[in-house]
Structure formats: structure tokens, C-alpha cells
Amino acid sequence: MFFLSGIDSTSLGQSVPNPTDTSYIMTLLRKAEAVELQRPQKALDDYQKALAFSAEIDYSKGYFESIRLTTYLLDLLGRHEESYKLAATGLQRALRDTSQQYRSICYFAMAQSAKEQGKNKEAIRHFKQAAPFMLAHKNRKKAAALYQNLGLMYEAERLYPQALTYFNRAITNDRIARSSNQELAVDYHSLASVYMKQNRLELALSYFRKTKSLLDPDKDIHFMAALYGNLANLHKELARPDSSLYYYESALRMNRLLDNPLQQLHLLAGKAETYNEMKQYGLAKSLLDKAYALARQHHVGLSEFRNIYREYANANLGLHNYKAAIPWYDKYMETKDSLSTLEAKTLLEDYELKLRQAEAGQKLARKQVQIDQLEQARQRQNLWIWIAALIGFLVVAGLVFAYLYSRQRQRASASALLAAEREHALAVVQSELQGQQKERLRIAKEMHDDLGASLTAIGLLSEVVKTRMGAATTPEIEKISSISTEMVTAMNEIIWSLNNRNDNLNGLIAYTRAYASEFIDNTNLHLQTHVQEWPQEIAIRGADRRNVFLTVKEALHNVVKHAQATQVSLTIRPQTDRLIIEVSDDGNGFVANERTRLRNGLSNMHNRMGESGGNCEIDSSARGTTVKITYPYPHGSTAKILQT
């Protein structure tokens, strides 16, 4: 018989199990479960033997326990359709049984298989069918597992508010059940992932840190590697490159012990992108070589190749290897076109938003119909009141009471209509704000992806033409190359000012320091920097950031063009209520007069700082010139203490 093959008779104490010996089935399941990760095929064979034996002797508990363990292992092995069919077969038997638990096991197994196949809506339906038993069970871990899976489904469907609701319910039930630290860590990690997708980065960081505090670095190394990769990506979004590199390196070190090539690919590509942003192009290129080799070896998707192509082009451009940059740029554009279906997803999101607004309008219309019906009923009641008044005082008193009751219902209905109108107005305002935010990010993205790519292509092509023409290069070609470079720089400054992720003090300080270093590197001047960061994250409007930066930029340009200096010093000192920036040089200075007072550059510096509520002071002598810029933080700016 099938269920007897491969069984060691000495371990069972008999050559053939007794058909009524249910303990044999449960022992077989427990032994297989203990080795399912080390010897999955052996465990699967034992699960199937227990399933067949349970069906033969009509042992329901063993049968459905075998269904649960077998479908889990099949999903682990990637055999999702086989798992789904087995769970569906078990469901047919469970529907003939009186136990709600067995139906719940089958529905849960079907939901897990559908989830692994990307059938999210079907998975949600099956999870909800499994819910009554799991939520009623005294062991709250079952409810926590259900809510965790529902949260993952809504996250995959980009319904983030619903996902957050279910993840918080999972946390509540895991706390009631006193679940392990690792189970709670999974809940916090899920919350952090949703907050990161909503661009609520500081909130995501706090939950990632809670996750880290619950894990054991020695026992939970798989979880820690994934967590450190997410922390690296998060710090990169927060423009904290040093922290991002630390977490990338830690995640890569853990991943070497786990031998997970796909995770290693993503970590290498992310670390290379960070090095490109720090202008360490050589280090970025060596990491990209490793990531590209892994991508080709494991046949990854187009999105991974697209990111690698883009960073290769940026690295070669930074190294002034324009001939090598062009092929990578072409591959990036081809891959980007292949992934254009992402735009269809954006259109679908817009459609869903409009659909929700339409549903709100329909609800308001139904409320209005109900109010009209109540008004008509009130008029009829008034008519009967006048007719009944002829009958007598007592009848009139009763009808008056009915009239007052009707008026009360009318007021309640009117209040309900007013509340519905306010809710609709709030939804419209929120939709408009969301649209404005999305439009701002879209403009920055399109400028970076389309205009930036086109300007970069112009610069690259002009460099190629110059290389081919050699000494015969015309001034017009030189002019094209120079203008394209200036336009790329100006465009990057505009993108930086548009991106609301940069609306903070430390982001302004980091960007100003990076610009000064890059600008002075192209001159004969020696740059000294004395830059401090502030332990509080202070929000600054995009317009103020741009005014402060352009004032510093104008001061540096004046040093290069007019000062005839040998060295320049940049000092940035954030204080409790203001930011102070000083640009000093050892040049020949200038004497303030009517001509210098009216010079556009100097007047622009004063005007820009005046617009942002600050001031610009210029002190010049024969020993050099010092420009002191003072910017007071605006009232109501948000300050958050950075956690170590």
C-alpha cells in the first residue's frame, strides 16, 4: 500500500500499522514536520502517507492536519497550484463535516496558495471565509495570523489604510497571546514597510527600530539581513549616505552567511546608487559589475536590469567616460520603455480615486432622496393633523405630539445631510491636496527622467563630436557642451528644491557643502569647510531652501570671478533658532561705493535673504571679504529629535 512504502518497521515496533492506530498518523506528522526544512522531499512523502492513511480509516483530525502541513510545504516548494487543488479537495470533505475548524483550515490553505500566485482578491476572499473560526478561537495567535495575512493582501493591492488597520490588529492580538518577540517583530516590520510606501519616512524608521530591538542577531539572521537592507534604503531616501552605507555593508555581511544571491544583487545595486550620489563613481562601478553578473546568472526581471543600467550610465558619466556611458544609457531607455505598463497602474489609481468620489456623490444623492421622502411624509402628517383637529382636543393633542416627533426626525435627517456634505467636501479637499503633492513629485520625476536624460544625452553627444573633431572643434560645439552642462546643473538645483523630501535643515546643509566642494574643485582655489549638522530635524520650505542656497552660490561665484584669492572658507553653524553661513576669502577685497552697491549679484543676495526673513552682511577689506548669511527658522517648523 502507498502509505506503507519507505517506513522503517523497527521504529514503529511492527511491520504494518494497525488500521485503527491513529497515534501512528500523528507521530508520522510530527517527525516529518521536524525535518521539513532540512529534508523537504522526505517530509512531503511522510505527509502524503499520513493523508492517505487518514482518508482510509476515516480519521478526520489526522486528515485535515495532513492537509494543513502538506499545503504549507507545497507552497514552500513553489508548487502552488498543486497546493490549491489539495486544499480545495479537503474543503469538499470539510463542508460535509460539522466542524468549523476543518473548513477554516482548508480556506486558510487556499488563501495562502492564491496569495503566492499573486491572486490577491481571491486570497482576501478565502482569508475572510477562514476568519469566523480563527477570530472566535481562544488562542489569539490565530487571529493575529489572519490579520497579518489580510494586511499583506491589502498592501499588495496598494490599499494602505486598510493594510495599516489589519497590521495594528495583528499587533494587538499577538500582545494578548504573549507571542514571541520574532512574531511581534514581523508585525512592526509590516507597519514600517507600509509607512515607507506612503513616504512617511520618519514613522517608518521608528517602527524599523522597534523591529530591530525585538530580534536576536544570532537566531534571527535571515530577518536581520532583510531588515538592514530596508534600513539602508530608508536612510538613502532620507539623504543620510553614511548611515545607508553602514546598513548596506551590514546586510551584505549577513547575506554572505545565508547565500541568498537575489538579495545580494539588490543590496549591491542599492549601495552602488549611494556611492554615485556621493560622487564616488569608481566604487559604484565595481559594485555594479558584481550586481550585473548576478543579474545575468539568475535571469532577474527588467526592473532590476533597468536600475543597474541607470547607475552604470551615471558612474561612467561621473568618471567622464562618455563613450562607455552612452551604451548603458541606451539600454536604460530601452528597458524603461519596456516597463511603461507602470503608467497604466498610475491611471488605474486615478480611476479608483475618481470612483471613490463618485460613490461619495451617490451616497449624498441617496441621503437627499431620503430627506425628500421624509418631507413628503411630514406634509401628509400635517394634513391629517388639520383634519383630526375637528374631532376633538385630545385627538389634536396626540397629533401635535406626532408632529413634534416628525420635526425631530426631520432635524436629524438634515443633520445627517449636513454631515454627509461636510464629509464629501473633506474628501474633495484631501483629493486636491493629494493631487498637488503627486503633481509636484511628478514634475520633479519627469524633469529628472526626461529633461535630465535629454540634456545628458546632448552633453554626451557634444563630447563625442569634440572627440571626433579633435583640434578642429568649433566654438559652437564648445558652447553647446558648456550650455548643456550648465543646464544640467541648474535643472538638478530645481529638482532638489521641488522634492519635498529635502525640506529639512540637514538636507540643505548637506547639499550646500556638496555643491561648494564640487564647484571649488574645478578652480585653483583651496577650500576649507567647517560644517556642523543639527541634532534636530527642522522643516524648511522649498522656497527658503532655494534662497539660502542661491545666496551661498552667488558668494562663491564672486570669490572665483572677482576676489583673486588663493583660498576660500565655508562655515555652516546651525543654532537653536537660526542658521548662520559664512563664506570668507583672502582676496583683494573691494571698496563699497555706488557702483558695487547697485551690482546685480550683491543686490540679489540681499533681496533673496530678505524674502526669507533673513539678512546678508558683507565685510570687505584689503585682507579679504566675508559674506555672513543669517536665516531664522520659520515659526511652526517641525523639529524631531534624531534617534541614535
Side-chain angles (χ1 to χ4, degrees), residues 20-317:
T20 61
D21 185 8
T22 58
S23 63
Y24 160 72
I25 296 174
M26 303 311 293
T27 301
L28 187 61
L29 290 176
R30 297 289 81 82
K31 287 183 177 180
E33 187 176 12
V35 299
E36 66 180 1
L37 295 180
Q38 293 79 22
R39 302 174 62 192
Q41 190 57 50
K42 174 66 170 62
L44 182 60
D45 291 341
D46 289 342
Y47 287 156
Q48 291 172 338
K49 291 173 187 176
L51 180 64
F53 192 16
S54 299
E56 181 176 352
I57 67 174
D58 198 24
Y59 178 37
S60 296
K61 180 179 179 180
Y63 178 83
F64 289 105
E65 185 68 5
S66 301
I67 289 281
R68 181 181 71 83
L69 293 171
T70 306
T71 54
Y72 170 78
L73 186 53
L74 286 172
D75 283 328
L76 203 64
L77 295 172
R79 296 158 64 175
H80 307 304
E81 292 184 1
E82 186 178 348
S83 171
Y84 188 90
K85 289 179 181 178
L86 179 59
T89 302
L91 178 63
Q92 298 305 313
R93 178 167 177 166
L95 292 175
R96 298 192 297 270
D97 198 291
T98 58
S99 174
Q100 190 181 30
Q101 177 183 0
Y102 298 151
R103 293 195 292 273
S104 179
I105 288 174
C106 295
Y107 280 130
F108 196 86
M110 293 169 68
Q112 291 280 23
S113 300
K115 179 184 73 173
E116 295 296 336
Q117 296 179 72
K119 301 175 181 178
N120 296 329
K121 290 188 168 108
E122 184 177 351
I124 291 173
R125 176 166 57 85
H126 290 320
F127 277 130
K128 290 185 175 179
Q129 288 170 322
F133 171 79
M134 300 183 74
L135 295 180
H137 201 280
K138 63 181 180 180
N139 185 353
R140 303 315 299 165
K141 283 188 178 182
K142 294 185 179 294
L146 176 69
Y147 288 138
Q148 173 68 221
N149 280 281
L150 283 171
L152 292 172
M153 292 298 92
Y154 282 112
E155 181 183 358
E157 291 293 306
R158 297 188 179 183
L159 299 173
Y160 300 132
Q162 293 91 326
L164 291 173
T165 298
Y166 282 110
F167 287 142
N168 278 305
R169 289 180 183 176
I171 290 175
T172 300
N173 283 275
D174 271 330
R175 285 175 175 168
I176 294 172
R178 297 184 178 179
S179 300
S180 66
N181 285 345
Q182 187 183 56
E183 291 168 321
L184 280 171
V186 170
D187 298 333
Y188 284 130
H189 189 274
S190 300
L191 279 175
S193 298
V194 175
Y195 284 131
M196 192 168 176
K197 290 177 181 178
Q198 289 183 316
N199 202 32
R200 299 162 71 178
L201 302 182
E202 291 294 340
L203 197 54
L205 180 59
S206 68
Y207 277 99
F208 277 137
R209 284 172 173 160
K210 288 183 179 180
T211 303
K212 180 182 175 184
S213 67
L214 292 171
L215 296 177
D216 186 335
D218 297 325
K219 297 180 181 178
D220 304 319
I221 188 169
H222 286 84
F223 202 161
M224 289 290 290
L227 173 64
Y228 273 43
N230 286 329
L231 281 169
N233 292 330
L234 180 58
H235 281 284
K236 183 173 63 178
E237 293 294 324
L238 290 169
R240 300 171 186 170
D242 293 335
S243 298
S244 180
L245 289 176
Y246 165 76
Y247 284 113
Y248 274 129
E249 187 57 39
S250 300
L252 283 167
R253 185 170 60 254
M254 296 177 187
N255 194 64
R256 293 187 194 103
L257 301 175
L258 303 174
D259 192 24
N260 186 337
L262 297 181
Q263 186 175 7
Q264 184 178 6
L265 185 154
H266 289 106
L267 292 171
L268 289 170
K271 188 176 179 182
E273 183 179 354
T274 303
Y275 274 133
N276 271 339
E277 292 176 355
M278 297 174 68
K279 305 187 185 307
Q280 298 184 27
Y281 304 111
L283 294 174
K285 194 169 181 298
S286 64
L287 293 173
L288 289 169
D289 291 339
K290 298 177 183 178
Y292 187 51
L294 286 172
R296 296 185 64 181
Q297 179 182 354
H298 296 280
H299 307 289
V300 299
L302 287 178
S303 59
E304 284 80 6
F305 276 111
R306 178 194 59 184
N307 296 336
I308 294 173
Y309 295 154
R310 182 188 63 225
E311 297 309 319
Y312 257 132
N314 290 336
N316 282 291
L317 181 62

Side-chain angles (χ1 to χ4, degrees), residues 531-602:
V531 179
Q532 304 173 4
E533 288 192 352
W534 193 241
Q536 291 181 322
E537 197 62 47
I538 297 177
I540 300 179
R541 296 184 310 154
D544 291 346
R545 284 192 295 109
R546 182 169 174 79
N547 282 337
V548 173
F549 169 72
L550 289 177
T551 304
V552 175
K553 178 179 178 181
E554 182 67 27
L556 292 172
H557 278 239
N558 286 341
V559 173
V560 174
K561 291 171 60 177
H562 305 296
Q564 299 181 6
T566 59
Q567 67 177 12
V568 60
S569 171
L570 173 65
T571 302
I572 303 179
R573 301 195 312 272
Q575 297 180 355
T576 304
D577 59 346
R578 69 191 64 198
L579 173 66
I580 297 176
I581 302 176
E582 292 183 358
V583 179
S584 303
D585 65 74
D586 61 350
N588 51 19
F590 65 92
V591 178
N593 52 41
E594 189 65 21
R595 183 174 63 85
T596 59
R597 186 178 66 82
L598 297 176
R599 185 182 295 166
N600 287 337
L602 299 180

Side-chain angles (χ1 to χ4, degrees), residues 436-469:
Q436 291 174 2
Q437 184 72 4
K438 185 176 180 181
E439 184 67 12
R440 185 177 174 189
L441 292 175
R442 184 188 66 80
I443 292 171
K445 182 177 181 299
E446 289 188 358
M447 288 182 67
H448 181 274
D449 290 347
D450 297 332
L451 294 180
S454 300
L455 290 174
T456 301
I458 292 172
L460 291 173
L461 292 174
S462 65
E463 291 295 332
V464 171
V465 172
K466 286 166 60 180
T467 303
R468 292 177 178 175
M469 295 180 67

